[in-house]
Amino acid sequence: MNPSTISRVVVTGATGNVGTSLVRALASEPRVGSVLGLARRRPDLDLPGVEWAEVDLSREGDEPRLAGYLADADAVVHLAWRFGPTHDPVETWRTNVLGSVRVFDAAAAARVPVLVHASSVGAYSPGPAGGAPVSEAWPTHGWPGAAYTREKAYLERVLDTFERDHPLIRVVRMRPSFLFKEESASEQRRIFAGRFFPGQLMRPELLPLLPEFDGLRFQILHTEDAADAYRRALLRDVRGAFNLAAEPVIDGAALGGMLHARPVRVPTGAVRGALSAAWHLRLVPASPGLFDALRHMPVLSTERARQELEWEPSRSSQEALEAFLKGVRGGAGDDTHPLAGRRVG
């Protein structure tokens, strides 16, 4: 297969935040012949050159169906991921780890030439003390206290073995920062704040004060810019990991400026304690372990993606966050089950 053209791409998790942006990008890419989107539920999206099929990666017994979908694929992009329930890490392990292994095994059995896997900044070990950006060579042992980071790091080890055993398959690992777009806002609000959190509260005039704590420093990338990087990785003869993020780095001061709120220093322990209590009472889905992971995530250097993929974000991190906040306030979504929203106002 010529890496500059691909006859058929199979995308798992195609109805999620990244998946919907990627299938749209591939549908408009003349060097891609067709796209098969796999998801647990068939969406109502009608895109030229895109077919849909249902598969549950967490369920034993669906392996033959998965193998059939991958039989004629020239490339597989594995995006499928389940963020909850955070109180049941065994359940997320079934989908995220065992499901990923099923995809990898099926790709190897079908001799698919290209495998692109959605890793994450969450796979990385805590960053250096000075906060300097890290390259793709930084250790990927994750933060041990959160299921999300443990699972992302574990799959890095699985792919190490996979690459050793299948050297003819071109494996690419994407390690993006937090990915936001307007259409994903309702899903991400449900994942992190809970389905009953009123998005209308995310208005500047209603947030005069913003809690600021040690470690509140992270990167954001617009989902469509991440999809563009995936598209480029599919169509270029590249291997290995790529960090993806936009500038500038978001901290308390930047958040305060965007929300027109005054940052107020709050002890980290107090924030964690309040979140822990709310999580144990099942008032919020985001776990205190995920809060700890956020505080220790490194800042990413994107030099490799800019050079080898000739990739450049088209939106700043602030623009991506503004799109997300707009979506939260307006109940934005998309015509898929994961991204279903509720327009208000």
PDB file of all heavy atoms in Angstrom, residues 204 207-214 216-217 250-267 271:
ATOM      1  N   PRO A 204     -19.848  33.953  32.353  1.00  0.00           N
ATOM      2  CA  PRO A 204     -18.937  34.831  33.095  1.00  0.00           C
ATOM      3  C   PRO A 204     -19.609  35.607  34.214  1.00  0.00           C
ATOM      4  O   PRO A 204     -19.053  35.750  35.306  1.00  0.00           O
ATOM      5  CB  PRO A 204     -18.386  35.754  32.005  1.00  0.00           C
ATOM      6  CG  PRO A 204     -18.497  34.973  30.747  1.00  0.00           C
ATOM      7  CD  PRO A 204     -19.746  34.145  30.902  1.00  0.00           C
ATOM      8  N   LEU A 207     -19.888  33.680  37.533  1.00  0.00           N
ATOM      9  CA  LEU A 207     -18.688  33.122  38.162  1.00  0.00           C
ATOM     10  C   LEU A 207     -17.723  34.255  38.514  1.00  0.00           C
ATOM     11  O   LEU A 207     -16.709  34.443  37.841  1.00  0.00           O
ATOM     12  CB  LEU A 207     -18.010  32.112  37.217  1.00  0.00           C
ATOM     13  CG  LEU A 207     -18.787  30.840  36.906  1.00  0.00           C
ATOM     14  CD1 LEU A 207     -18.087  30.057  35.797  1.00  0.00           C
ATOM     15  CD2 LEU A 207     -18.906  29.975  38.156  1.00  0.00           C
ATOM     16  N   PRO A 208     -18.005  35.016  39.553  1.00  0.00           N
ATOM     17  CA  PRO A 208     -17.114  36.130  39.899  1.00  0.00           C
ATOM     18  C   PRO A 208     -15.758  35.671  40.431  1.00  0.00           C
ATOM     19  O   PRO A 208     -14.762  36.369  40.295  1.00  0.00           O
ATOM     20  CB  PRO A 208     -17.898  36.886  40.977  1.00  0.00           C
ATOM     21  CG  PRO A 208     -18.794  35.855  41.582  1.00  0.00           C
ATOM     22  CD  PRO A 208     -19.167  34.938  40.452  1.00  0.00           C
ATOM     23  N   LEU A 209     -15.716  34.468  41.037  1.00  0.00           N
ATOM     24  CA  LEU A 209     -14.481  33.940  41.616  1.00  0.00           C
ATOM     25  C   LEU A 209     -14.172  32.579  41.011  1.00  0.00           C
ATOM     26  O   LEU A 209     -15.070  31.794  40.721  1.00  0.00           O
ATOM     27  CB  LEU A 209     -14.604  33.815  43.140  1.00  0.00           C
ATOM     28  CG  LEU A 209     -14.949  35.091  43.919  1.00  0.00           C
ATOM     29  CD1 LEU A 209     -15.108  34.780  45.392  1.00  0.00           C
ATOM     30  CD2 LEU A 209     -13.878  36.158  43.712  1.00  0.00           C
ATOM     31  N   LEU A 210     -12.887  32.311  40.822  1.00  0.00           N
ATOM     32  CA  LEU A 210     -12.445  31.035  40.270  1.00  0.00           C
ATOM     33  C   LEU A 210     -11.417  30.409  41.210  1.00  0.00           C
ATOM     34  O   LEU A 210     -10.358  30.999  41.449  1.00  0.00           O
ATOM     35  CB  LEU A 210     -11.823  31.234  38.887  1.00  0.00           C
ATOM     36  CG  LEU A 210     -11.252  29.974  38.228  1.00  0.00           C
ATOM     37  CD1 LEU A 210     -12.387  29.062  37.768  1.00  0.00           C
ATOM     38  CD2 LEU A 210     -10.349  30.342  37.054  1.00  0.00           C
ATOM     39  N   PRO A 211     -11.692  29.226  41.780  1.00  0.00           N
ATOM     40  CA  PRO A 211     -10.710  28.583  42.644  1.00  0.00           C
ATOM     41  C   PRO A 211      -9.434  28.241  41.877  1.00  0.00           C
ATOM     42  O   PRO A 211      -9.490  27.687  40.775  1.00  0.00           O
ATOM     43  CB  PRO A 211     -11.426  27.303  43.116  1.00  0.00           C
ATOM     44  CG  PRO A 211     -12.878  27.571  42.893  1.00  0.00           C
ATOM     45  CD  PRO A 211     -12.952  28.469  41.706  1.00  0.00           C
ATOM     46  N   GLU A 212      -8.295  28.596  42.444  1.00  0.00           N
ATOM     47  CA  GLU A 212      -6.999  28.300  41.835  1.00  0.00           C
ATOM     48  C   GLU A 212      -6.158  27.532  42.846  1.00  0.00           C
ATOM     49  O   GLU A 212      -6.114  27.893  44.023  1.00  0.00           O
ATOM     50  CB  GLU A 212      -6.287  29.587  41.432  1.00  0.00           C
ATOM     51  CG  GLU A 212      -4.975  29.359  40.690  1.00  0.00           C
ATOM     52  CD  GLU A 212      -4.312  30.669  40.314  1.00  0.00           C
ATOM     53  OE1 GLU A 212      -4.669  31.709  40.890  1.00  0.00           O
ATOM     54  OE2 GLU A 212      -3.411  30.645  39.456  1.00  0.00           O
ATOM     55  N   PHE A 213      -5.501  26.470  42.383  1.00  0.00           N
ATOM     56  CA  PHE A 213      -4.739  25.612  43.282  1.00  0.00           C
ATOM     57  C   PHE A 213      -3.442  25.183  42.609  1.00  0.00           C
ATOM     58  O   PHE A 213      -3.285  25.321  41.385  1.00  0.00           O
ATOM     59  CB  PHE A 213      -5.562  24.372  43.674  1.00  0.00           C
ATOM     60  CG  PHE A 213      -6.169  23.644  42.503  1.00  0.00           C
ATOM     61  CD1 PHE A 213      -5.462  22.688  41.805  1.00  0.00           C
ATOM     62  CD2 PHE A 213      -7.458  23.946  42.094  1.00  0.00           C
ATOM     63  CE1 PHE A 213      -6.013  22.032  40.719  1.00  0.00           C
ATOM     64  CE2 PHE A 213      -8.025  23.294  40.996  1.00  0.00           C
ATOM     65  CZ  PHE A 213      -7.294  22.331  40.315  1.00  0.00           C
ATOM     66  N   ASP A 214      -2.519  24.671  43.403  1.00  0.00           N
ATOM     67  CA  ASP A 214      -1.241  24.207  42.875  1.00  0.00           C
ATOM     68  C   ASP A 214      -1.468  23.090  41.860  1.00  0.00           C
ATOM     69  O   ASP A 214      -2.235  22.156  42.108  1.00  0.00           O
ATOM     70  CB  ASP A 214      -0.351  23.681  44.010  1.00  0.00           C
ATOM     71  CG  ASP A 214       0.142  24.797  44.912  1.00  0.00           C
ATOM     72  OD1 ASP A 214       0.177  25.958  44.455  1.00  0.00           O
ATOM     73  OD2 ASP A 214       0.485  24.515  46.082  1.00  0.00           O
ATOM     74  N   LEU A 216      -2.689  23.554  38.789  1.00  0.00           N
ATOM     75  CA  LEU A 216      -3.711  23.896  37.792  1.00  0.00           C
ATOM     76  C   LEU A 216      -3.007  24.474  36.565  1.00  0.00           C
ATOM     77  O   LEU A 216      -2.836  25.691  36.415  1.00  0.00           O
ATOM     78  CB  LEU A 216      -4.709  24.893  38.366  1.00  0.00           C
ATOM     79  CG  LEU A 216      -5.846  25.341  37.416  1.00  0.00           C
ATOM     80  CD1 LEU A 216      -6.649  24.142  36.938  1.00  0.00           C
ATOM     81  CD2 LEU A 216      -6.749  26.369  38.095  1.00  0.00           C
ATOM     82  N   ARG A 217      -2.577  23.585  35.697  1.00  0.00           N
ATOM     83  CA  ARG A 217      -1.818  23.972  34.501  1.00  0.00           C
ATOM     84  C   ARG A 217      -1.934  22.832  33.496  1.00  0.00           C
ATOM     85  O   ARG A 217      -1.501  21.713  33.763  1.00  0.00           O
ATOM     86  CB  ARG A 217      -0.355  24.215  34.879  1.00  0.00           C
ATOM     87  CG  ARG A 217       0.524  24.770  33.777  1.00  0.00           C
ATOM     88  CD  ARG A 217       1.851  25.231  34.370  1.00  0.00           C
ATOM     89  NE  ARG A 217       2.721  25.824  33.366  1.00  0.00           N
ATOM     90  CZ  ARG A 217       3.753  25.183  32.801  1.00  0.00           C
ATOM     91  NH1 ARG A 217       4.050  23.948  33.173  1.00  0.00           N
ATOM     92  NH2 ARG A 217       4.494  25.794  31.890  1.00  0.00           N
ATOM     93  N   ILE A 250      -2.810  26.526  29.577  1.00  0.00           N
ATOM     94  CA  ILE A 250      -3.892  27.121  30.359  1.00  0.00           C
ATOM     95  C   ILE A 250      -3.589  26.978  31.857  1.00  0.00           C
ATOM     96  O   ILE A 250      -3.275  25.888  32.326  1.00  0.00           O
ATOM     97  CB  ILE A 250      -5.238  26.452  30.045  1.00  0.00           C
ATOM     98  CG1 ILE A 250      -5.573  26.610  28.554  1.00  0.00           C
ATOM     99  CG2 ILE A 250      -6.353  27.018  30.912  1.00  0.00           C
ATOM    100  CD1 ILE A 250      -5.824  28.023  28.114  1.00  0.00           C
ATOM    101  N   ASP A 251      -3.680  28.079  32.592  1.00  0.00           N
ATOM    102  CA  ASP A 251      -3.530  28.045  34.041  1.00  0.00           C
ATOM    103  C   ASP A 251      -4.658  28.852  34.677  1.00  0.00           C
ATOM    104  O   ASP A 251      -5.604  29.276  33.999  1.00  0.00           O
ATOM    105  CB  ASP A 251      -2.156  28.584  34.466  1.00  0.00           C
ATOM    106  CG  ASP A 251      -1.888  29.995  33.957  1.00  0.00           C
ATOM    107  OD1 ASP A 251      -2.840  30.660  33.510  1.00  0.00           O
ATOM    108  OD2 ASP A 251      -0.725  30.429  34.006  1.00  0.00           O
ATOM    109  N   GLY A 252      -4.557  29.062  35.981  1.00  0.00           N
ATOM    110  CA  GLY A 252      -5.623  29.777  36.673  1.00  0.00           C
ATOM    111  C   GLY A 252      -5.839  31.173  36.144  1.00  0.00           C
ATOM    112  O   GLY A 252      -6.985  31.636  35.999  1.00  0.00           O
ATOM    113  N   ALA A 253      -4.753  31.878  35.842  1.00  0.00           N
ATOM    114  CA  ALA A 253      -4.877  33.239  35.341  1.00  0.00           C
ATOM    115  C   ALA A 253      -5.572  33.262  33.981  1.00  0.00           C
ATOM    116  O   ALA A 253      -6.427  34.123  33.717  1.00  0.00           O
ATOM    117  CB  ALA A 253      -3.497  33.884  35.244  1.00  0.00           C
ATOM    118  N   ALA A 254      -5.204  32.316  33.106  1.00  0.00           N
ATOM    119  CA  ALA A 254      -5.838  32.266  31.785  1.00  0.00           C
ATOM    120  C   ALA A 254      -7.316  31.932  31.895  1.00  0.00           C
ATOM    121  O   ALA A 254      -8.155  32.523  31.209  1.00  0.00           O
ATOM    122  CB  ALA A 254      -5.122  31.237  30.913  1.00  0.00           C
ATOM    123  N   LEU A 255      -7.651  30.971  32.764  1.00  0.00           N
ATOM    124  CA  LEU A 255      -9.055  30.623  32.957  1.00  0.00           C
ATOM    125  C   LEU A 255      -9.837  31.809  33.505  1.00  0.00           C
ATOM    126  O   LEU A 255     -10.953  32.092  33.067  1.00  0.00           O
ATOM    127  CB  LEU A 255      -9.168  29.440  33.919  1.00  0.00           C
ATOM    128  CG  LEU A 255      -8.964  28.045  33.345  1.00  0.00           C
ATOM    129  CD1 LEU A 255      -9.007  27.008  34.460  1.00  0.00           C
ATOM    130  CD2 LEU A 255     -10.014  27.718  32.296  1.00  0.00           C
ATOM    131  N   GLY A 256      -9.240  32.484  34.476  1.00  0.00           N
ATOM    132  CA  GLY A 256      -9.910  33.638  35.045  1.00  0.00           C
ATOM    133  C   GLY A 256     -10.179  34.720  34.019  1.00  0.00           C
ATOM    134  O   GLY A 256     -11.259  35.324  34.007  1.00  0.00           O
ATOM    135  N   GLY A 257      -9.207  34.949  33.138  1.00  0.00           N
ATOM    136  CA  GLY A 257      -9.398  35.947  32.101  1.00  0.00           C
ATOM    137  C   GLY A 257     -10.500  35.581  31.133  1.00  0.00           C
ATOM    138  O   GLY A 257     -11.291  36.440  30.716  1.00  0.00           O
ATOM    139  N   MET A 258     -10.593  34.299  30.770  1.00  0.00           N
ATOM    140  CA  MET A 258     -11.617  33.866  29.829  1.00  0.00           C
ATOM    141  C   MET A 258     -13.009  33.930  30.439  1.00  0.00           C
ATOM    142  O   MET A 258     -13.986  34.230  29.756  1.00  0.00           O
ATOM    143  CB  MET A 258     -11.315  32.444  29.353  1.00  0.00           C
ATOM    144  CG  MET A 258     -10.048  32.322  28.528  1.00  0.00           C
ATOM    145  SD  MET A 258      -9.757  30.627  28.006  1.00  0.00           S
ATOM    146  CE  MET A 258     -11.178  30.370  26.959  1.00  0.00           C
ATOM    147  N   LEU A 259     -13.102  33.628  31.738  1.00  0.00           N
ATOM    148  CA  LEU A 259     -14.395  33.603  32.412  1.00  0.00           C
ATOM    149  C   LEU A 259     -14.716  34.918  33.114  1.00  0.00           C
ATOM    150  O   LEU A 259     -15.754  35.020  33.773  1.00  0.00           O
ATOM    151  CB  LEU A 259     -14.421  32.456  33.434  1.00  0.00           C
ATOM    152  CG  LEU A 259     -14.332  31.047  32.844  1.00  0.00           C
ATOM    153  CD1 LEU A 259     -14.153  30.009  33.950  1.00  0.00           C
ATOM    154  CD2 LEU A 259     -15.574  30.727  32.026  1.00  0.00           C
ATOM    155  N   HIS A 260     -13.798  35.902  32.973  1.00  0.00           N
ATOM    156  CA  HIS A 260     -13.977  37.190  33.636  1.00  0.00           C
ATOM    157  C   HIS A 260     -14.164  36.997  35.140  1.00  0.00           C
ATOM    158  O   HIS A 260     -14.995  37.660  35.784  1.00  0.00           O
ATOM    159  CB  HIS A 260     -15.169  37.956  33.050  1.00  0.00           C
ATOM    160  CG  HIS A 260     -15.104  38.109  31.565  1.00  0.00           C
ATOM    161  ND1 HIS A 260     -14.187  38.932  30.944  1.00  0.00           N
ATOM    162  CD2 HIS A 260     -15.821  37.526  30.565  1.00  0.00           C
ATOM    163  CE1 HIS A 260     -14.359  38.868  29.629  1.00  0.00           C
ATOM    164  NE2 HIS A 260     -15.343  38.019  29.374  1.00  0.00           N
ATOM    165  N   ALA A 261     -13.407  36.045  35.690  1.00  0.00           N
ATOM    166  CA  ALA A 261     -13.495  35.725  37.109  1.00  0.00           C
ATOM    167  C   ALA A 261     -12.144  35.972  37.772  1.00  0.00           C
ATOM    168  O   ALA A 261     -11.095  35.834  37.140  1.00  0.00           O
ATOM    169  CB  ALA A 261     -13.915  34.266  37.304  1.00  0.00           C
ATOM    170  N   ARG A 262     -12.176  36.328  39.035  1.00  0.00           N
ATOM    171  CA  ARG A 262     -10.934  36.580  39.780  1.00  0.00           C
ATOM    172  C   ARG A 262     -10.436  35.288  40.400  1.00  0.00           C
ATOM    173  O   ARG A 262     -11.145  34.677  41.205  1.00  0.00           O
ATOM    174  CB  ARG A 262     -11.166  37.628  40.859  1.00  0.00           C
ATOM    175  CG  ARG A 262      -9.921  37.966  41.678  1.00  0.00           C
ATOM    176  CD  ARG A 262     -10.150  39.212  42.510  1.00  0.00           C
ATOM    177  NE  ARG A 262     -11.227  39.029  43.473  1.00  0.00           N
ATOM    178  CZ  ARG A 262     -11.049  38.530  44.708  1.00  0.00           C
ATOM    179  NH1 ARG A 262      -9.836  38.144  45.094  1.00  0.00           N
ATOM    180  NH2 ARG A 262     -12.068  38.431  45.530  1.00  0.00           N
ATOM    181  N   PRO A 263      -9.208  34.827  40.029  1.00  0.00           N
ATOM    182  CA  PRO A 263      -8.666  33.608  40.648  1.00  0.00           C
ATOM    183  C   PRO A 263      -8.430  33.807  42.140  1.00  0.00           C
ATOM    184  O   PRO A 263      -7.902  34.832  42.569  1.00  0.00           O
ATOM    185  CB  PRO A 263      -7.349  33.388  39.897  1.00  0.00           C
ATOM    186  CG  PRO A 263      -7.477  34.170  38.626  1.00  0.00           C
ATOM    187  CD  PRO A 263      -8.333  35.346  38.978  1.00  0.00           C
ATOM    188  N   VAL A 264      -8.849  32.838  42.930  1.00  0.00           N
ATOM    189  CA  VAL A 264      -8.675  32.864  44.378  1.00  0.00           C
ATOM    190  C   VAL A 264      -7.933  31.602  44.795  1.00  0.00           C
ATOM    191  O   VAL A 264      -8.375  30.490  44.483  1.00  0.00           O
ATOM    192  CB  VAL A 264     -10.033  32.945  45.101  1.00  0.00           C
ATOM    193  CG1 VAL A 264      -9.827  32.886  46.619  1.00  0.00           C
ATOM    194  CG2 VAL A 264     -10.780  34.200  44.709  1.00  0.00           C
ATOM    195  N   ARG A 265      -6.803  31.773  45.460  1.00  0.00           N
ATOM    196  CA  ARG A 265      -6.006  30.625  45.878  1.00  0.00           C
ATOM    197  C   ARG A 265      -6.772  29.802  46.906  1.00  0.00           C
ATOM    198  O   ARG A 265      -7.285  30.313  47.907  1.00  0.00           O
ATOM    199  CB  ARG A 265      -4.685  31.087  46.472  1.00  0.00           C
ATOM    200  CG  ARG A 265      -3.761  31.786  45.493  1.00  0.00           C
ATOM    201  CD  ARG A 265      -3.257  30.858  44.417  1.00  0.00           C
ATOM    202  NE  ARG A 265      -2.439  29.772  44.942  1.00  0.00           N
ATOM    203  CZ  ARG A 265      -1.859  28.836  44.184  1.00  0.00           C
ATOM    204  NH1 ARG A 265      -2.034  28.847  42.872  1.00  0.00           N
ATOM    205  NH2 ARG A 265      -1.131  27.894  44.731  1.00  0.00           N
ATOM    206  N   VAL A 266      -6.819  28.504  46.647  1.00  0.00           N
ATOM    207  CA  VAL A 266      -7.489  27.556  47.532  1.00  0.00           C
ATOM    208  C   VAL A 266      -6.532  26.414  47.805  1.00  0.00           C
ATOM    209  O   VAL A 266      -5.849  25.938  46.878  1.00  0.00           O
ATOM    210  CB  VAL A 266      -8.790  27.021  46.879  1.00  0.00           C
ATOM    211  CG1 VAL A 266      -9.464  25.998  47.783  1.00  0.00           C
ATOM    212  CG2 VAL A 266      -9.738  28.162  46.577  1.00  0.00           C
ATOM    213  N   PRO A 267      -6.409  25.937  49.052  1.00  0.00           N
ATOM    214  CA  PRO A 267      -5.524  24.799  49.329  1.00  0.00           C
ATOM    215  C   PRO A 267      -5.899  23.582  48.484  1.00  0.00           C
ATOM    216  O   PRO A 267      -7.092  23.250  48.348  1.00  0.00           O
ATOM    217  CB  PRO A 267      -5.745  24.535  50.822  1.00  0.00           C
ATOM    218  CG  PRO A 267      -6.244  25.824  51.369  1.00  0.00           C
ATOM    219  CD  PRO A 267      -7.053  26.446  50.268  1.00  0.00           C
ATOM    220  N   VAL A 271      -9.645  21.339  47.893  1.00  0.00           N
ATOM    221  CA  VAL A 271     -10.306  21.019  46.619  1.00  0.00           C
ATOM    222  C   VAL A 271     -10.442  19.516  46.457  1.00  0.00           C
ATOM    223  O   VAL A 271     -11.515  18.993  46.115  1.00  0.00           O
ATOM    224  CB  VAL A 271      -9.527  21.618  45.441  1.00  0.00           C
ATOM    225  CG1 VAL A 271     -10.187  21.240  44.118  1.00  0.00           C
ATOM    226  CG2 VAL A 271      -9.432  23.134  45.568  1.00  0.00           C
TER     227      VAL A 271
END
